[in-house]
Amino acid sequence: MSVHSEIKRVTTHTLQKMKERGEKISMLTAYDYSFTKIFDEAGIDILLIGDSASNVIAGHETTLPITLDQMIFLASSVVRAARRCFVICDLPFGTYQGNSKEALNSSIRIMKESGAHAVKLEGGAEVCESIARIVSAGIPVMGHLGLTPQSIYQFGTYSVRAKEEAEAELLIRNAHAVQEAGAFSLVLEKIPAALGKRVAEELKIPVIGIGAGMHVDGQVLVMHDMLGITKDFSPRFLRRYLNLYDEIKAAAGQYIADVKSKDFPNEQEQY
Ligand code: KIV
């Protein structure tokens, strides 16, 4: 959709204004055309092509294996259906860490080849040079602190982060650093609600939480989790709006039974 068409596209400016007037920002992950069309029509503000695709789409145990080419393929599918929402694509593991030139090149590939509107990356002070460099090329960047799944082998577990004072203070310093580097927004994952509140109050940019409590500026969930397509993942922060795993399984079971019993197709369902 062009910026001149009838539906008004959500932009970084829209999101900043939402924070300023206290309007909560809604964000979900999406990985394909068909679900994006539904979420966009429902009025979602932001869709993220998360590297959680590595888990929920590709079936890997962690987010580490997914590649830049794979993320670009998924993001381009999302972009084709997203008419109103702002579309952000994760920079996958190994495409930005430790090298701001590579971070910029990876971001440029995402923007050029998928048509996404922004990129997201994980980390604090150590990625600020990359954030500044990407932003200097005109690409909006979203940061991600707290539980950062690309560092899972360093953390060792997916448990709540920054419960101790020292880690909380470090997270606050990193949040400010990410903002100063030019990020337009920040995701906080799985941290105490009081810390989420403090960061959202201290930062000027919108802070989006996943397991960061009710006081941040918006919420994000992984679509497979909130739709109940995943079954064995039940963190406290997850609200399931559907139980699609069981519903789809029942539908598939019924279809199989109908085929086997020769009930499908019937007279009306053939040419
Ligand atoms: O990859 C992802 O889905 C994410 C969200 C959990 C924020 O980064």
Side-chain angles (χ1 to χ4, degrees):
M1 192 196 68
S2 89
V3 284
H4 304 297
S5 63
E6 278 159 35
I7 301 170
K8 205 162 182 308
R9 170 78 76 183
V10 176
T11 64
T12 55
H13 180 75
T14 322
L15 300 168
Q16 184 61 43
K17 290 285 164 215
M18 286 170 81
K19 167 155 184 153
E20 285 163 19
R21 60 174 183 265
E23 181 183 342
K24 298 283 185 185
I25 297 166
S26 61
M27 172 167 159
L28 280 172
T29 66
Y31 315 95
D32 74 356
Y33 178 89
S34 303
F35 276 108
T36 296
K37 197 161 172 352
I38 301 170
F39 295 150
D40 192 64
E41 277 179 23
I44 198 79
D45 297 311
I46 305 177
L47 285 179
L48 169 72
I49 301 91
D51 59 358
S52 50
S54 183
N55 310 113
V56 296
I57 301 295
H60 294 296
E61 202 175 313
T62 72
T63 58
L64 276 64
I66 199 158
T67 67
L68 188 56
D69 284 338
Q70 289 166 339
M71 290 299 292
I72 288 171
F73 168 75
L74 299 174
S76 63
S77 313
V78 167
V79 165
R80 281 191 283 275
R83 297 176 61 76
R84 176 187 169 272
C85 65
F86 190 69
V87 178
I88 306 173
C89 181
D90 261 340
L91 278 162
F93 177 70
T95 66
Y96 64 94
Q97 288 93 343
N99 184 338
S100 65
K101 182 81 174 60
E102 192 182 351
L104 175 59
N105 288 340
S106 303
S107 304
I108 288 175
R109 278 203 59 203
I110 287 177
M111 303 297 282
K112 260 184 160 358
E113 297 176 37
S114 77
H117 310 137
V119 297
K120 175 166 86 59
L121 50 70
E122 297 181 5
E126 73 282 6
V127 293
C128 281
E129 186 185 316
S130 294
I131 294 175
R133 197 160 186 165
I134 299 167
V135 171
S136 75
I139 302 172
V141 177
M142 175 180 260
H144 185 155
L145 290 169
L147 175 63
T148 46
Q150 291 180 12
S151 306
I152 186 58
Y153 290 117
Q154 196 170 50
F155 295 148
T157 75
Y158 286 101
S159 54
V160 180
R161 303 301 311 173
K163 289 208 294 207
E164 307 301 328
E165 177 80 12
E167 196 184 337
E169 288 305 324
L170 178 62
L171 187 145
I172 291 165
R173 280 201 301 281
N174 277 327
H176 281 280
V178 164
Q179 173 175 268
E180 293 322 309
F184 75 92
S185 177
L186 175 67
V187 164
L188 291 179
E189 181 164 351
K190 222 170 174 187
I191 60 164
L195 180 58
K197 180 172 190 283
R198 185 166 161 201
V199 175
E201 281 171 359
E202 287 191 15
L203 293 200
K204 294 189 198 76
I205 59 175
V207 175
I208 314 289
I210 173 164
M214 62 173 80
H215 299 290
V216 288
D217 305 306
Q219 300 293 331
V220 55
L221 286 175
V222 170
M223 58 159 280
H224 289 66
D225 299 334
M226 63 83 77
L227 294 176
I229 297 172
T230 49
K231 223 177 156 46
D232 305 325
F233 179 69
S234 299
R236 187 194 299 192
F237 68 75
L238 174 60
R239 185 179 293 182
R240 287 196 202 282
Y241 288 83
L242 285 173
N243 183 7
L244 278 189
Y245 187 100
D246 289 336
E247 288 189 38
I248 294 172
K249 193 172 164 189
Q254 186 61 55
Y255 169 72
I256 294 163
D258 290 351
V259 170
K260 302 271 181 205
S261 68
K262 302 179 187 156
D263 177 77
F264 176 79
N266 62 24
E267 288 292 334
Q268 287 72 46
E269 289 163 332
Q270 62 188 4
Y271 298 100

